[in-house]
Amino acid sequence: MADKKCVKWNGNAGIEEAASAREELLAAFEEAKEVELDISEVDDIDVSAIQIILACFKEAKKRNIPFSIAGKIPDAIEEFCRSCGVSLSEFNNVNKMSEVKNA
């Protein structure tokens, strides 16, 4: 089992990609002790992708596996997520590193 697996999404993260995105992330939980999701190159996201991300946080907690968002979250993606009542920034490794440096 790998120590860490990073799943990278790019382009559109929507209903059309939801099934394969979900399967890829669930496979990552089987393959590694820690999972990251990189959405730094996602151009568009919809509610189905947000639901998958939130379900992954729940799955990670159930399995006691660290799960986080890696890389910079595009401003438009974070803005859309916030309009849906979710802030992915609080789960972002980049933000957590800067919080530690600023402490």
Side-chain angles (χ1 to χ4, degrees):
M1 180 177 270
D3 285 340
K4 186 186 286 188
K5 170 90 176 182
C6 185
V7 174
K8 186 168 181 82
W9 290 355
N10 54 44
N12 292 329
I15 192 73
E16 295 84 12
E17 298 80 23
S20 62
R22 179 182 171 274
E23 293 305 317
E24 185 178 20
L25 281 165
L26 287 176
F29 282 109
E30 295 293 328
E31 299 168 4
K33 297 175 186 173
E34 180 178 351
V35 178
E36 292 180 331
L37 174 62
D38 183 342
I39 59 172
S40 62
E41 294 183 15
V42 170
D43 300 320
D44 192 28
I45 196 167
D46 72 9
V47 175
S48 63
I50 296 169
Q51 289 173 322
I52 291 168
I53 294 169
L54 295 177
C56 283
F57 280 107
K58 187 174 181 179
E59 184 68 20
K61 186 174 183 179
K62 182 173 94 176
R63 294 183 186 222
N64 199 29
I65 294 175
F67 176 67
S68 59
I69 306 294
K72 178 164 178 3
I73 299 170
D75 292 339
I77 301 302
E78 179 64 21
E79 197 173 304
F80 176 75
C81 291
R82 285 186 186 192
S83 74
C84 295
V86 176
S87 174
L88 296 180
S89 290
E90 66 186 87
F91 305 110
N92 184 259
N93 284 342
V94 172
N95 289 342
K96 287 182 181 179
M97 283 190 263
S98 66
E99 286 173 10
V100 170
K101 288 178 186 173
N102 293 330

